[in-house]
Amino acid sequence: MSSENSTTKWGQFIPLVSVFFFWGFVAASNDILIPVFKKAFDLTQGQSQLVSLAFYIAYTVGSLIYMGISILIKKDIVNTIGYKNGLVLGLVISALGTLLFYPAANTGSFALMLSGLFIVALGFSLQQTVANPLAIALGPISTGSQRLTLAGGINNFGTTIGPLIVSFAIFGTSIGKTTNMSIESVKIPYLVLGLAFLLVAVLLKFSSIPDKPEAIVEKEGSTGLERSSALKYPQLVLGMIGIFVYVGVEVSTASNLPAYMEHNLGFAISDIAPYISLYWASLMIGRWTGAVEAFTNDISLRKILRFIAPYLAFGVFLAVNAIAKHNLTPFYVYALIILVLIAADIASKGNPARMLFIFSLLGIMALAVGMSNDGMVSVYAFTSVGLFCSTLWPCIFTLAVSGLGNNTSQGSSFLIMMIMGGGIVSWLQGYVSESIGIHASYIVGVFCFAYLAFYAWRVKGILRAQGISFDEKITGGH
């Protein structure tokens, strides 16, 4: 690898992370759309979760389309058109999806609304396939996972402000007052979002992001391990299930929270947005904490940043909500919960398997506290799940593709496919809630975290048998 790659290519990395922002913005905004659609279209809680199902199942459909076209043309699509063009194409597809919100709002069609979200997510599927390995490639491989975690932090900046902006656009106010919830108010913010997709597509087209990053070309040319399919690696197969349940518990915890707060705690729908924002901000807090190694090799500075980064991210959340004129008093106590995250991050010592195990156990504890308590204690417990989900994606991704060699790209595509868990688990929890209540339905998330703890324990032995160790720190998985 050339000396040019000894440092992170920030000039290329910074424009890349704009797409990570969009993924978070739209995904979190869905949690505002769910109660709006539920009331406007008179849906059950299970039916309202079709919003999440349509959005996340599109990732699987998009991956299948990608694989099918690649088989037909006998070439990998991104390798053929280039990484930059792949990003641009994905953004254009997402922009086309936003156009459906206009006729959907005018005709009051729930099916068209879901179709629009589906197409937006189809574009996201292609963007994810390109952007994740690209984020790892734009710098030294030793800090590849930290860059992916940092990009996830940008993603969660989008998830933090998304619910607030969309809530303001739909309700006409950012504070809890009597509001008009006309379905037609949805179309303008999503048309504006479509224009933003196109603008970023143009900017990326003329950016310095390479069509074929050197690190990826080198990886493609390596000998790797000689197995005929990525599916013959147990760490990948088990990791696919891991991605499925991880995205599932992350999304379902937030998407079912509005119904719990409205029906069990008496919150007005328009007052729930700050708490949804806090949930997604929790992922940003955790990811900023986990990304400190991407900035410096100084051990002492890293220790300091591990305390500064999470509270800086928390400050962003407070600032955004202050601008939106929300009462910040209920959120100050959350600063104490962040200390648990910091302690867990230190205890993990950068080892992805250990971090996955510790954070999964904390996720189970958070859900147990939430289910066994009422009032604001349960709300803080459920929102803290975001803290413990924060770094699980790079942990699972790294462990699952480790040792795949030339099959890494294929394995990555399979992992992206399993993002559909976000929709299926959300729908499952919504369906379960109709039988046992929304409060108790969070048991679904407990089972998800239990599998992740099992995977963390099992994959360590699998990788050790293949001569792969993460005893020192995350290395990027290659």
Side-chain angles (χ1 to χ4, degrees), residues 408-473:
T408 299
S409 296
Q410 184 186 53
S412 297
S413 178
F414 285 133
L415 291 172
I416 297 300
M417 183 185 302
M418 303 309 287
I419 292 176
M420 66 179 174
I424 294 176
V425 175
S426 292
W427 169 82
L428 176 63
Q429 184 176 344
Y431 181 79
V432 169
S433 73
E434 295 174 8
S435 300
I436 65 175
I438 192 70
H439 198 186
S441 72
Y442 278 94
I443 190 66
V444 172
V446 171
F447 286 116
C448 291
F449 277 124
Y451 175 82
L452 292 174
F454 161 76
Y455 176 63
W457 168 78
R458 183 72 182 92
V459 75
K460 186 176 181 180
I462 292 172
L463 294 178
R464 185 184 292 115
Q466 297 177 16
I468 302 169
S469 175
F470 290 91
D471 288 336
E472 295 302 320
K473 67 171 190 171

Side-chain angles (χ1 to χ4, degrees), residues 153-208:
I154 301 300
N155 172 282
N156 289 117
F157 178 66
T159 62
T160 300
I161 69 173
L164 300 174
I165 292 176
V166 172
S167 180
F168 182 87
I170 292 175
F171 297 115
T173 179
S174 59
I175 56 178
K177 294 181 179 179
T178 303
T179 55
N180 177 22
M181 217 165 56
S182 170
I183 199 66
E184 290 197 12
S185 62
V186 172
K187 62 186 179 184
I188 299 301
Y190 279 84
L191 288 177
V192 172
L193 184 63
L195 290 176
F197 287 151
L198 294 177
L199 176 61
V200 171
V202 172
L203 293 176
L204 285 175
K205 179 64 177 177
F206 294 100
S207 73
S208 61

Side-chain angles (χ1 to χ4, degrees), residues 71-121:
I71 291 172
L72 286 175
I73 66 176
K74 298 181 179 180
K75 294 180 181 178
D76 183 86
I77 294 175
V78 172
N79 287 341
T80 301
I81 67 175
Y83 279 75
K84 182 191 295 185
N85 289 333
L87 281 174
V88 171
L89 177 59
L91 285 162
V92 170
I93 292 172
S94 294
L96 291 175
T98 63
L99 293 178
L100 285 183
F101 278 83
Y102 194 86
N106 286 341
T107 60
S109 171
F110 184 49
L112 271 181
M113 290 283 185
L114 294 180
S115 298
L117 282 174
F118 180 85
I119 295 173
V120 169

